[in-house]
Amino acid sequence: MHETILSILPYGINGLALGLNVAIVALALALIWRTVGMLDFGIGAVYLASAYTLWLAKSAGLPLVVGMAVAIAAGVFFSVLNYLVVYRFFIKRNAPLFVLVVVSLSLFVATENFVAAILSAERFYIIDSILLGWTLLGTRLNVAQIAKMAISLITLGAIAMFCLHSRAGLAILAVADNPRLAQGMGIELDRAYIRTFAIAGFIVSLAAIPDVAESGVDPYVAATPLFLALAAIIIGGLGAFKNPVRGAVMLGLAFHLAVWAFASRWQEVIAYSFVMAALIIRPQGLFGGVSTPTRP
Amino acid sequence: MIYVVDVLTYAAIMVIATRGYMLIKGLGGLLHLGHAVFFGLGAYAAAIASQTFLPAGAYPISLLCGAIAAAAGAGLIGWPALKDRARYFMIITFSMQLIFITIVINLGITGGPDGISGIPKVGFGPWVLTSRPVNLGVIELSASSMNLLVALLLMGASFLFCRRIIESPYGRLVRATREDDLAVEAYGRSATNVRLSIFAIGAALTGIAGAAFAHYFNYIGPSQFELELVILFLIMLILGGQYSIVGATIGVFVTMALLEGLRFGLEHYALISTDAVAHVRKGIFSLILVLVLIVKPSGLVRERFSNYRRPAPEPGADKPAQAISLVVSEPAERNASLKPAALSCKDLHKSFGGLVAVNGVDLSLMEGKITAIIGPNGAGKTTVFNMLSGFVAPTKGEVTFKGKNIVGLAPPEIARLGIARTFQDVRIWPRLTAIENVLASLRDQPGENAIRLFAQPRVSDSKEAENIEYAWHLMERFRLSEKANQLAGELSYAQRKMLALARLRAYDPSIMLLDEPTSGVDPKRLGEFFDQIRGFAESEHRTICMIEHNMTVVRELADWVLFIDEGRVVAQGTSAEVLGNRTLMSAYLGKREAESV
């Protein structure tokens, strides 16, 4: 029994690290879904923008910390740019949800391919040396993994504080709850949307930076976190912002415990089967409360 | 030349798959983002079947295997995904796309990441396509041209198949479900089953295309069915027009021409590597999709609506007399379904969280009479209707119809018992024409079952012809014949209200629940509504229960009136008794209005 627990533990810790990392991408998706009323695959493009900015900054000889700050700024900039240049056109014309989703998916695929065409599909590493690490309960954790978990927890807490205790955050929550009423109360939707995309860009960058610092960057690096975040939404539901976060943690654990129970090649199959199982048991998400996005 | 033939063959196969997508997304309105899965399922099923148990030359059976595999996949995904009113459908189908690729890469039978090669070429019985030219008697075709011919024949067959579906009662029901699923359920059909069936049919057609693709290329691998293929299908469908078979065809050929033109331009004029060409092409194509959605979101070809012709009057028929009659006598067989109504409810309760909407309502509808429910907004009137029609489950209490408790039955089951309703917000199917709204509500339609539509074409077609004639008869009765071929969403509010009554009458229920049938109607036109509603009860002996705020309507029509307030029946009696109760009316309408009642 003791041995079993010890053998599971590393997978559990890795699963938790992955889950927390996916959680902030899922939170970004949920934030845009509930506030703006669209499923934004474009955050995959934002992830790439942030990741490649970090690599370019590093290649240009900038210190890593400065590179990270620039990468975060790039993430925020591209997220807001997506809204201002592309999405706003469709939102103002009351485009159906499907159109918005197709547009955001196209943006993501276009970004992936243009990056591959311009910078090649090769994987570039930000940190060449072996990352500093420690062994905890039989699991070796490197500095990037620890940073991932810490950043995710801090981000989740900070976003909750921002939404509940700042004027801008409350305005976003009001729009997410009832856009028409929020508008009637004097909240400017366009400004709330810009803020939402800025926050989404910010937190997606925080997910991208430690991830690519650990594993390197290539044009397809955003696909897995984005799609896992999507799966987390299915598992957790979108009734409340905390639901996709819970879903992400469960998914991260399933993703790594699948390796412990089966083989690594079945990792994705098991994780996505978990999604399907959740879907069959509770189509509205394990934690309930389907929310259909509404726009005024 | 071979290059052009090959591109055309590929395009013909893609047309079939895109038509499958058109059935799912355009006709069915399902927000489906995993179409490459069905193409892939068809391809893998055909490849595996051809290499394991099918003999050489079993091309048609192989295509069938592709169709079955894709339809089964659709059923597997669609059943859980569609039962919760499809709100998550888009996310689920997209996830399905990701899962499919993962599974295909990891399974041994699918050849893993290497895929399956050596898939047999097209073959029919003893004849199998080889690289040698084929002599067809009048013409000799190369192997490539023969492939093109087979693909074109399949494309032609898929056109006939899709047209048959779109123009059938089944297609009409699918479109009605796309427009408003609750109204479909109120008229006795399961919206989930309708959606699931069109999802499976569209998938099967795409599976056939996938199987044809596998036999044409003789190789399939996971990379052929990834996200880029989804984007390609989306471009083809949206560019051409997602609601049209012709659009789904044009979209494919225009996209293929652009795709090949772009490849040629990039390879010959752009100073970039071959690797980069593929990426640039995909990138540009994704942006083209955005551009199409900006410039022409409805696509090149718009949805076409059937124009129903009024049947020619039989010689000697007294047509004008029938046209002006508001309440015409009905064919005997249609009235045969009317049995004495006996709907009642006892101690009906409904709470939403802490809010008690209905608090112990007792109600008994009298056969062939009109019962009106009145009361202030928020009194619980519509909630009572929702419980009687199965849209809301009571927290407590019984609803009895012909001695049987019907609580727990789904709305379509209750409707099929003969209890049908209208909605306060009308809920007509806006992108169906007025006559289609009536046709879609009729009960006896063999052609609204997709299997019977193809298995018993004559039965379906003759009944449809009969139904069209009957629908015209109803259009005249409800004074909508001039608007019959106009989209219902374009009718005036009063006409939509009248259409809601016509649709209800078409369903032929013994109990009619009318939720504010005259609200928003110009008082000058109220007489037409009175005649129709009175006709339902007096001439056709139907039991009517209506929610109404207009006391003129209540006084004019109601045999019995219930006053509901705060979820309880506060008073009931004849309209003279209830409307004559000054205290009650003053509390409900205010003193000044109460005096004018």
Side-chain angles (χ1 to χ4, degrees):
Chain A
M1 182 67 183
H2 182 68
E3 281 179 9
T4 312
I5 292 170
L6 278 181
S7 67
I8 291 178
L9 214 54
Y11 297 98
I13 292 172
N14 282 325
L16 194 64
L18 175 69
L20 286 171
N21 192 242
V22 169
I24 50 177
V25 183
L27 181 63
L29 276 177
L31 202 63
I32 296 174
W33 169 277
R34 292 206 56 191
T35 310
V36 186
M38 65 176 286
L39 188 62
D40 183 19
F41 287 105
I43 66 165
V46 173
Y47 192 101
L48 281 178
S50 195
Y52 273 94
T53 304
L54 180 64
W55 172 71
L56 287 170
K58 181 73 181 14
S59 306
L62 290 175
L64 194 60
V65 179
V66 178
M68 286 176 180
V70 178
I72 290 171
V76 173
F77 174 74
F78 276 101
S79 184
V80 174
L81 195 70
N82 277 352
Y83 167 67
L84 292 177
V85 176
V86 186
Y87 303 151
R88 188 158 67 170
F89 173 87
F90 292 98
I91 289 168
K92 289 209 162 174
R93 279 156 187 78
N94 272 325
L97 176 63
F98 188 76
V99 168
L100 281 166
V101 172
V102 169
V103 166
S104 72
L105 186 61
S106 302
L107 268 188
F108 174 47
V109 174
T111 309
E112 269 189 335
N113 282 289
F114 284 127
V115 167
I118 297 164
L119 297 170
S120 92
E122 193 186 333
R123 175 162 285 218
F124 301 112
Y125 290 91
I126 315 276
I127 299 169
D128 299 325
S129 54
I130 295 172
L131 292 168
L132 188 65
W134 299 272
T135 302
L136 176 72
L137 297 168
T139 312
R140 190 180 188 280
L141 288 170
N142 64 38
V143 68
Q145 286 169 313
I146 294 168
K148 264 190 210 176
M149 286 196 272
I151 287 173
S152 299
L153 286 170
I154 294 167
T155 306
L156 293 172
I159 293 295
M161 292 288 284
F162 171 78
C163 285
L164 294 171
H165 298 289
S166 76
R167 209 178 154 78
L170 286 170
I172 288 172
L173 285 186
V175 173
D177 200 46
N178 189 332
R180 281 191 188 87
L181 191 61
Q183 220 173 1
M185 299 289 286
I187 295 170
E188 202 185 318
L189 283 187
D190 196 46
R191 186 178 292 180
Y193 289 170
I194 290 171
R195 283 177 179 158
T196 303
F197 277 98
I199 294 168
F202 176 72
I203 58 181
V204 166
S205 302
L206 291 178
I209 289 167
D211 214 20
V212 297
E214 184 191 13
S215 317
V217 57
D218 68 41
Y220 309 108
V221 76
T224 303
L226 178 62
F227 299 157
L228 286 177
L230 208 61
I233 284 174
I234 297 179
I235 294 170
L238 277 160
F241 287 124
K242 62 187 174 191
N243 291 353
V245 174
R246 289 164 163 181
V249 173
M250 288 181 76
L251 185 70
L253 288 171
F255 212 70
H256 279 275
L257 291 176
V259 181
W260 173 77
F262 303 97
S264 61
R265 71 191 183 103
W266 290 107
Q267 192 175 33
E268 287 183 24
V269 177
I270 300 293
Y272 286 126
S273 302
F274 181 45
V275 174
M276 300 312 290
L279 187 67
I280 292 167
I281 299 162
R282 272 180 74 83
Q284 70 273 43
L286 290 183
F287 305 107
V290 171
S291 122
T292 308
T294 50
R295 270 181 275 126
Chain B
M1 185 60 191
I2 290 178
Y3 168 75
V4 174
V5 169
D6 282 349
V7 170
L8 285 175
T9 308
Y10 180 56
I13 292 170
M14 293 303 273
V15 165
I16 302 166
T18 308
R19 284 175 182 162
Y21 204 1
M22 184 267 300
L23 290 179
I24 296 170
K25 171 67 185 75
L27 193 73
L30 298 175
L31 308 183
H32 165 49
L33 276 179
H35 202 58
V37 172
F38 300 141
F39 195 69
L41 276 173
Y44 273 103
I48 293 164
S50 300
Q51 290 199 334
T52 50
F53 61 87
L54 287 182
Y59 182 70
I61 301 172
S62 182
L63 295 185
L64 192 64
C65 288
I68 292 169
L76 204 67
I77 298 299
W79 178 71
L82 288 167
K83 69 179 177 183
D84 188 45
R85 303 217 182 278
R87 277 174 285 199
Y88 270 136
F89 195 70
M90 193 165 39
I91 304 178
I92 290 158
T93 51
F94 188 77
S95 302
M96 169 181 92
Q97 175 70 38
L98 308 176
I99 295 170
F100 175 71
I101 296 297
T102 310
I103 290 174
V104 161
I105 288 174
N106 284 289
L107 279 181
I109 197 168
T110 54
D114 298 330
I116 301 173
S117 52
I119 301 163
K121 288 180 189 295
V122 172
F124 299 93
W127 178 83
V128 177
L129 185 69
T130 61
S131 52
R132 281 177 300 178
V134 181
N135 193 338
L136 293 178
V138 286
I139 190 171
E140 193 175 80
L141 291 177
S142 66
S144 298
S145 303
M146 195 61 201
N147 266 322
L148 175 61
L149 180 67
V150 171
L152 288 175
L153 286 172
L154 283 175
M155 192 178 97
S158 77
F159 178 83
L160 296 176
F161 176 79
C162 289
R163 196 177 65 176
R164 173 79 176 149
I165 287 204
I166 290 170
E167 293 178 354
S168 70
Y170 172 71
R172 194 165 53 221
L173 180 61
V174 173
R175 284 167 52 222
T177 309
R178 175 189 75 189
E179 297 300 309
D180 192 328
D181 55 350
L182 285 185
V184 164
E185 300 218 319
Y187 292 100
R189 283 82 169 183
S190 159
T192 303
N193 288 350
V194 174
R195 285 198 179 113
L196 195 58
S197 64
I198 196 65
F199 191 46
I201 290 169
L205 189 60
T206 311
I208 289 174
F213 173 82
H215 285 285
Y216 170 58
F217 276 96
N218 314 122
Y219 163 78
I220 52 168
S223 62
Q224 291 167 324
F225 310 106
E226 285 186 342
L227 198 54
E228 281 80 8
L229 185 62
V230 176
I231 298 280
L232 191 63
F233 280 132
L234 280 167
I235 297 172
M236 289 168 168
L237 182 70
I238 291 171
L239 178 65
Q242 57 178 309
Y243 301 111
S244 152
I245 321 174
V246 179
T249 313
I250 291 174
V252 172
F253 284 103
V254 172
T255 305
M256 290 301 292
L258 282 171
L259 204 65
E260 293 310 308
L262 201 59
R263 186 207 302 274
F264 182 83
L266 287 170
E267 280 177 357
H268 289 83
Y269 302 107
L271 300 171
I272 51 176
S273 67
T274 317
D275 257 6
V277 166
H279 290 303
V280 171
R281 215 162 62 113
K282 285 176 191 170
I284 290 178
F285 251 76
S286 303
L287 293 185
I288 285 177
L289 179 54
V290 177
L291 203 67
V292 169
L293 287 167
I294 292 172
V295 178
K296 193 91 180 156
S298 59
L300 296 170
V301 184
R302 287 178 174 273
E303 186 168 20
R304 211 176 122 255
F305 301 101
S306 299
N307 196 15
Y308 291 88
R309 284 188 194 163
R310 196 189 302 240
E314 283 173 26
D318 189 5
K319 185 74 181 174
Q322 193 184 51
I324 56 166
S325 167
L326 282 176
V327 182
V328 291
S329 57
E330 300 300 326
E333 68 271 18
R334 289 192 182 274
N335 272 337
S337 64
L338 292 177
K339 299 273 165 62
L343 183 72
S344 60
C345 61
K346 198 174 173 189
D347 198 26
L348 212 54
H349 284 74
K350 181 66 197 177
S351 303
F352 297 101
L355 176 78
V356 180
V358 175
N359 192 10
V361 165
D362 292 339
L363 167 75
S364 191
L365 300 184
M366 291 173 285
E367 184 192 332
K369 301 290 179 190
I370 300 174
T371 303
I373 300 179
I374 63 171
N377 286 328
K381 305 183 295 294
T382 297
T383 308
V384 170
F385 259 32
N386 286 340
M387 287 190 281
L388 296 180
S389 53
F391 284 93
V392 167
T395 316
K396 190 181 147 195
E398 269 188 5
V399 179
T400 312
F401 179 64
K402 294 180 183 172
K404 185 186 162 198
N405 186 7
I406 59 169
V407 168
L409 295 184
E413 292 172 302
I414 290 178
R416 286 196 291 270
L417 291 174
I419 304 165
R421 65 174 293 179
T422 62
F423 295 88
Q424 192 179 332
D425 48 356
V426 196
R427 300 195 90 115
I428 41 113
W429 296 299
R431 282 170 63 81
L432 264 65
T433 59
I435 194 166
E436 282 179 323
N437 265 268
V438 168
L439 278 165
S441 310
L442 290 170
R443 283 203 202 202
D444 184 14
Q445 300 193 62
E448 72 176 21
N449 178 313
I451 296 169
R452 288 184 76 185
L453 180 68
F454 289 98
Q456 298 173 315
R458 283 190 187 168
V459 175
S460 304
D461 293 347
S462 70
K463 190 67 194 175
E464 172 70 352
E466 200 181 298
N467 281 340
I468 290 171
E469 195 175 339
Y470 182 63
W472 272 110
H473 168 76
L474 286 175
M475 296 308 283
E476 281 171 9
R477 169 177 162 177
F478 287 87
R479 296 195 169 172
L480 289 165
S481 52
E482 296 306 315
K483 304 284 178 186
N485 284 306
Q486 196 169 324
L487 285 183
E490 293 171 357
L491 299 179
S492 71
Y493 191 69
Q495 285 165 342
R496 276 184 272 165
K497 282 274 183 185
M498 188 59 90
L499 181 59
L501 288 186
R503 192 171 70 168
L504 181 70
R505 175 60 191 84
Y507 188 65
D508 197 15
S510 55
I511 294 181
M512 291 176 159
L513 307 175
L514 311 177
D515 198 348
E516 300 192 25
T518 64
S519 66
V521 174
D522 181 351
K524 288 177 196 161
R525 290 199 61 182
L526 281 179
E528 293 171 31
F529 286 79
F530 291 165
D531 289 341
Q532 295 296 350
I533 296 169
R534 202 181 285 123
F536 291 151
E538 290 175 4
S539 308
E540 299 172 357
H541 312 293
R542 297 173 202 277
T543 304
I544 313 292
C545 182
M546 64 175 186
I547 294 172
E548 196 44 77
H549 282 289
N550 186 335
M551 292 307 115
T552 309
V553 178
V554 174
R555 193 176 47 233
E556 188 71 31
L557 293 176
D559 299 300
W560 194 252
V561 179
L562 275 87
F563 189 100
I564 293 185
D565 194 13
E566 294 182 351
R568 294 168 186 271
V569 178
V570 178
Q572 58 181 305
T574 61
S575 57
E577 286 166 354
V578 176
L579 302 189
N581 184 330
R582 292 287 154 199
T583 318
L584 203 65
M585 287 298 107
S586 297
Y588 173 30
L589 301 169
K591 201 173 175 185
R592 189 187 297 173
E593 281 79 4
E595 279 168 5
S596 63
V597 170

